[in-house]
Each structure stands twice: as structure tokens, then as C-alpha cells.
Amino acid sequence: MFRARVARNPVLDMAYRVTAGVLGTAVLLVGIIALPAPGPGWVIIFAGLGILAAEFHWAKRLLHWVRVKYDAWVAWMGRQRRVVQLLVMTAILGTVAVFAWLMGVFDTVGGWVGLDWPWLESPLKHLMGPTARPPHGPPR
């Protein structure tokens, strides 16, 4: 009923569609970024596609296609032997660990517990801006 009332006013309808498009796209992008990180990346992707699918037919088709592919992958994984499942999980966890290292998670957590090991630092640290922690090693 709410959507029907909004649709009667062309300006309000356009504003609603633009808002849904921007919000859905933002949520979808956050989900894509969160895929390799620890967390619910796929849930966020499905939420973003759901927001877009409420207003756009192409998003509804894409959401259906992604769900079918995701369900097929889960079913395929369920049919595999334990060793294949463990290898896939290891690859996923390895990807998460590398992503966490690149984003500086290990260095941050190491600082919390007093570990000042240089190899915990992300090689991308200089791209992430200034930090509150002093650099490793003696001052120059």
C-alpha cells in the first residue's frame, strides 16, 4: 500500500527509486568487499540485491541467478569428500587471513597484546594513513 501511494507521485516515485538504487548498491558493494573478510559477506550481498530487487526487475533476476548458483555450490560442496571440503575451507581461511593481514588487523591486534613484530605490519600500511603507534625500530 505504501509503495502504491509513492508511485502515484512521479517526483516522489523517482526519489524513492533513486534512494533504493543508491542504498542497494552501497549495501551490495559492502558485501562484495566483505566477501574475503571475516564476516557475513554473502548475507550482505543478498541484502543489497534484495533492496535493489524490490525496485528493479534486473536485480530480481540477478538475485535469483545468484541464489541458484550459491545453492548449487553449497550442494556441490556437500557431495565432496572431507579432504576436498577441508582444502576448500583452508583456501577460504587463507584468503581471509591474507586479507586481514593486508588490512592491518594482525598489527592492530598485536599492538593490543604487546606484540611489536614487524612482520605483522601490512605492506599496505603506508596507503592507510597515519597510525597512533610509533614505527618499528629505533628512530632515525
Side-chain angles (χ1 to χ4, degrees):
M1 185 187 296
F2 168 77
R3 187 62 185 102
R5 271 188 288 150
V6 169
R8 281 183 274 196
N9 181 334
V11 173
L12 194 56
D13 185 45
M14 180 58 71
Y16 185 88
R17 288 177 62 87
V18 167
T19 302
V22 169
L23 180 65
T25 301
V27 172
L28 181 63
L29 289 174
V30 167
I32 290 170
I33 292 168
L35 264 180
W42 281 110
V43 172
I44 298 170
I45 287 173
F46 287 133
L49 283 175
I51 292 168
L52 290 169
E55 282 302 309
F56 305 104
H57 184 66
W58 63 265
K60 189 176 285 190
R61 289 191 326 266
L62 180 60
L63 177 61
H64 176 73
W65 182 82
V66 169
R67 275 203 289 211
V68 167
K69 296 298 180 188
Y70 178 80
D71 290 342
W73 187 81
V74 169
W76 177 82
M77 279 296 293
R79 292 190 306 270
Q80 301 308 305
R81 295 188 173 171
R82 272 302 160 219
V83 69
V84 173
Q85 292 176 350
L86 288 172
L87 285 172
V88 169
M89 287 190 311
T90 302
I92 290 170
L93 288 174
T95 301
V96 168
V98 167
F99 186 80
W101 174 61
L102 289 173
M103 298 314 304
V105 172
F106 293 156
D107 190 35
T108 301
V109 174
W112 293 344
V113 295
L115 299 176
D116 196 25
W117 298 339
W119 61 269
L120 291 177
E121 278 189 12
S122 167
L124 306 177
K125 186 175 187 174
H126 66 281
L127 298 174
M128 293 184 219
T131 62
R133 291 183 60 200
H136 295 292
R140 294 181 183 169

